[in-house]
Short mmCIF file of all heavy atoms in Angstrom, two decimals:
data_model
loop_
_atom_site.label_atom_id
_atom_site.label_comp_id
_atom_site.label_asym_id
_atom_site.label_seq_id
_atom_site.Cartn_x
_atom_site.Cartn_y
_atom_site.Cartn_z
N SER F 1 113.49 79.02 80.55
CA SER F 1 112.26 78.67 79.84
C SER F 1 112.09 77.10 79.81
O SER F 1 110.97 76.72 79.34
CB SER F 1 112.26 79.31 78.43
OG SER F 1 113.24 78.66 77.52
N THR F 2 113.12 76.39 80.14
CA THR F 2 113.01 74.87 80.09
C THR F 2 112.84 74.30 81.45
O THR F 2 112.64 73.04 81.49
CB THR F 2 114.31 74.32 79.47
OG1 THR F 2 115.44 74.43 80.41
CG2 THR F 2 114.69 74.95 78.16
N TRP F 3 112.82 75.10 82.49
CA TRP F 3 112.59 74.54 83.84
C TRP F 3 111.12 74.70 84.30
O TRP F 3 110.52 75.71 83.95
CB TRP F 3 113.42 75.44 84.83
CG TRP F 3 114.95 75.39 84.63
CD1 TRP F 3 115.60 74.37 84.01
CD2 TRP F 3 115.89 76.32 84.98
NE1 TRP F 3 116.95 74.83 83.98
CE2 TRP F 3 117.15 75.86 84.64
CE3 TRP F 3 115.70 77.58 85.63
CZ2 TRP F 3 118.32 76.65 84.81
CZ3 TRP F 3 116.91 78.31 85.89
CH2 TRP F 3 118.20 77.85 85.50
N THR F 4 110.67 73.70 84.86
CA THR F 4 109.23 73.58 85.27
C THR F 4 108.86 74.79 86.12
O THR F 4 107.76 75.41 85.93
CB THR F 4 108.93 72.29 85.97
OG1 THR F 4 109.40 71.11 85.19
CG2 THR F 4 107.53 72.14 86.37
N TRP F 5 109.76 75.09 87.13
CA TRP F 5 109.29 76.18 88.05
C TRP F 5 109.39 77.60 87.45
O TRP F 5 108.60 78.48 87.89
CB TRP F 5 110.26 76.03 89.32
CG TRP F 5 111.69 76.49 89.06
CD1 TRP F 5 112.60 75.54 88.85
CD2 TRP F 5 112.26 77.79 89.12
NE1 TRP F 5 113.83 76.27 88.74
CE2 TRP F 5 113.59 77.56 88.93
CE3 TRP F 5 111.70 79.11 89.42
CZ2 TRP F 5 114.59 78.67 88.88
CZ3 TRP F 5 112.57 80.19 89.38
CH2 TRP F 5 113.99 79.89 89.07
N SER F 6 110.11 77.88 86.42
CA SER F 6 110.23 79.17 85.97
C SER F 6 109.56 79.40 84.57
O SER F 6 109.35 80.55 84.18
CB SER F 6 111.81 79.55 85.76
OG SER F 6 112.50 78.58 85.12
N ALA F 7 109.33 78.32 83.79
CA ALA F 7 108.88 78.38 82.45
C ALA F 7 107.68 79.23 82.31
O ALA F 7 107.50 80.09 81.41
CB ALA F 7 108.79 77.00 81.79
N PRO F 8 106.62 78.95 83.19
CA PRO F 8 105.29 79.80 83.03
C PRO F 8 105.56 81.24 83.11
O PRO F 8 104.98 82.05 82.48
CB PRO F 8 104.45 79.15 84.05
CG PRO F 8 105.01 77.83 84.41
CD PRO F 8 106.47 77.92 84.26
N GLY F 9 106.43 81.64 84.12
CA GLY F 9 106.61 83.03 84.37
C GLY F 9 107.39 83.65 83.23
O GLY F 9 107.11 84.81 82.79
N VAL F 10 108.42 82.94 82.72
CA VAL F 10 109.18 83.50 81.55
C VAL F 10 108.29 83.56 80.33
O VAL F 10 108.30 84.62 79.61
CB VAL F 10 110.37 82.59 81.23
CG1 VAL F 10 111.04 82.95 79.92
CG2 VAL F 10 111.34 82.65 82.38
N ALA F 11 107.37 82.68 80.04
CA ALA F 11 106.43 82.76 78.98
C ALA F 11 105.50 83.86 79.21
O ALA F 11 105.10 84.56 78.20
CB ALA F 11 105.69 81.47 78.87
N ALA F 12 105.00 84.05 80.31
CA ALA F 12 104.05 85.26 80.60
C ALA F 12 104.71 86.51 80.34
O ALA F 12 104.18 87.40 79.77
CB ALA F 12 103.44 85.11 82.05
N PHE F 13 105.95 86.67 80.80
CA PHE F 13 106.61 87.91 80.61
C PHE F 13 106.82 88.05 78.97
O PHE F 13 106.77 89.17 78.44
CB PHE F 13 107.99 87.91 81.29
CG PHE F 13 108.81 89.18 80.92
CD1 PHE F 13 108.41 90.31 81.54
CD2 PHE F 13 109.83 89.07 80.05
CE1 PHE F 13 109.16 91.48 81.18
CE2 PHE F 13 110.65 90.19 79.84
CZ PHE F 13 110.24 91.37 80.29
N GLY F 14 107.30 86.90 78.34
CA GLY F 14 107.49 87.09 76.89
C GLY F 14 106.32 87.51 76.12
O GLY F 14 106.50 88.14 75.04
N ARG F 15 105.08 87.19 76.55
CA ARG F 15 103.92 87.56 75.85
C ARG F 15 103.57 89.06 75.96
O ARG F 15 102.67 89.43 75.27
CB ARG F 15 102.69 86.71 76.51
CG ARG F 15 102.68 85.24 76.01
CD ARG F 15 101.45 84.54 76.33
NE ARG F 15 101.11 84.54 77.81
CZ ARG F 15 101.38 83.47 78.59
NH1 ARG F 15 102.12 82.43 77.93
NH2 ARG F 15 101.16 83.41 79.84
N THR F 16 104.22 89.80 76.81
CA THR F 16 104.07 91.14 76.95
C THR F 16 104.96 91.98 76.02
O THR F 16 104.84 93.17 75.95
CB THR F 16 104.18 91.57 78.39
OG1 THR F 16 105.65 91.42 78.74
CG2 THR F 16 103.31 90.84 79.32
N ALA F 17 105.88 91.31 75.32
CA ALA F 17 106.70 92.00 74.40
C ALA F 17 106.03 92.64 73.29
O ALA F 17 104.99 91.98 72.88
CB ALA F 17 107.86 91.03 73.91
N PRO F 18 106.41 93.73 72.82
CA PRO F 18 105.62 94.38 71.70
C PRO F 18 105.77 93.50 70.50
O PRO F 18 106.70 92.68 70.25
CB PRO F 18 106.31 95.73 71.47
CG PRO F 18 107.69 95.47 72.15
CD PRO F 18 107.49 94.59 73.27
N PRO F 19 104.83 93.51 69.59
CA PRO F 19 104.85 92.64 68.29
C PRO F 19 106.21 92.98 67.56
O PRO F 19 106.63 94.09 67.32
CB PRO F 19 103.70 93.17 67.44
CG PRO F 19 102.72 93.62 68.55
CD PRO F 19 103.56 94.37 69.59
N GLY F 20 106.83 91.86 67.28
CA GLY F 20 108.03 92.07 66.51
C GLY F 20 109.31 92.32 67.37
O GLY F 20 110.43 92.43 66.98
N GLY F 21 108.98 92.53 68.71
CA GLY F 21 110.20 92.85 69.63
C GLY F 21 110.87 91.56 70.04
O GLY F 21 110.45 90.55 69.94
N ASP F 22 112.05 91.90 70.68
CA ASP F 22 112.83 90.70 71.13
C ASP F 22 112.30 90.35 72.44
O ASP F 22 111.50 91.00 73.12
CB ASP F 22 114.26 91.05 71.22
CG ASP F 22 114.52 92.29 72.15
OD1 ASP F 22 113.60 92.85 72.60
OD2 ASP F 22 115.80 92.67 72.30
N ARG F 23 112.78 89.11 72.91
CA ARG F 23 112.36 88.76 74.33
C ARG F 23 113.10 89.46 75.29
O ARG F 23 114.43 89.47 75.26
CB ARG F 23 112.63 87.22 74.35
CG ARG F 23 112.24 86.66 75.83
CD ARG F 23 112.35 85.03 75.80
NE ARG F 23 113.70 84.79 75.47
CZ ARG F 23 114.09 83.53 75.22
NH1 ARG F 23 113.20 82.57 75.12
NH2 ARG F 23 115.34 83.23 74.85
N ARG F 24 112.43 90.16 76.22
CA ARG F 24 113.18 91.05 77.17
C ARG F 24 112.77 90.53 78.58
O ARG F 24 111.70 89.94 78.85
CB ARG F 24 112.89 92.38 76.98
CG ARG F 24 113.51 93.03 75.66
CD ARG F 24 113.35 94.43 75.54
NE ARG F 24 111.84 94.89 75.48
CZ ARG F 24 111.52 96.15 75.51
NH1 ARG F 24 112.40 97.07 75.72
NH2 ARG F 24 110.22 96.56 75.34
N PRO F 25 113.55 90.78 79.64
CA PRO F 25 114.95 91.56 79.55
C PRO F 25 116.04 90.62 79.03
O PRO F 25 116.05 89.50 79.17
CB PRO F 25 115.18 91.93 81.03
CG PRO F 25 114.53 90.84 81.80
CD PRO F 25 113.34 90.36 80.93
N CYS F 26 116.92 91.31 78.41
CA CYS F 26 118.05 90.56 77.86
C CYS F 26 119.31 90.76 78.76
O CYS F 26 120.10 89.89 78.87
CB CYS F 26 118.44 91.07 76.44
SG CYS F 26 117.28 90.53 75.16
N HIS F 27 119.41 91.78 79.48
CA HIS F 27 120.59 92.03 80.29
C HIS F 27 120.48 90.96 81.56
O HIS F 27 119.32 90.70 82.03
CB HIS F 27 120.60 93.39 80.95
CG HIS F 27 121.09 94.40 79.88
ND1 HIS F 27 122.46 94.40 79.51
CD2 HIS F 27 120.47 95.30 79.16
CE1 HIS F 27 122.68 95.37 78.59
NE2 HIS F 27 121.49 95.91 78.43
N HIS F 28 121.72 90.48 81.88
CA HIS F 28 121.68 89.54 82.98
C HIS F 28 121.07 89.95 84.21
O HIS F 28 120.35 89.20 84.92
CB HIS F 28 123.29 89.22 83.23
CG HIS F 28 123.40 87.97 84.16
ND1 HIS F 28 124.54 87.91 84.88
CD2 HIS F 28 122.66 86.90 84.44
CE1 HIS F 28 124.51 86.80 85.60
NE2 HIS F 28 123.30 86.18 85.34
N ALA F 29 121.37 91.16 84.83
CA ALA F 29 120.76 91.54 85.97
C ALA F 29 119.21 91.65 86.13
O ALA F 29 118.64 91.37 86.99
CB ALA F 29 121.28 93.03 86.37
N ALA F 30 118.64 92.18 84.98
CA ALA F 30 117.30 92.23 84.90
C ALA F 30 116.65 90.87 84.74
O ALA F 30 115.55 90.47 85.46
CB ALA F 30 116.81 93.14 83.67
N ALA F 31 117.22 89.94 83.97
CA ALA F 31 116.81 88.59 83.97
C ALA F 31 116.92 87.89 85.20
O ALA F 31 115.93 87.16 85.59
CB ALA F 31 117.54 87.80 82.73
#
């Protein structure tokens, strides 16, 4: 989330998390 090339995509994915949900995916393979 701190890298220029990946931050927008990580943020876009994070915005799809359900309200009150954690930031997913958390597992290394999915991330």
Side-chain angles (χ1 to χ4, degrees):
S1 69
T2 69
W3 298 334
T4 302
W5 66 267
S6 55
V10 172
F13 177 76
R15 287 193 292 271
T16 68
D22 59 358
R23 180 175 58 193
R24 293 187 291 172
C26 286
H27 284 286
H28 187 208

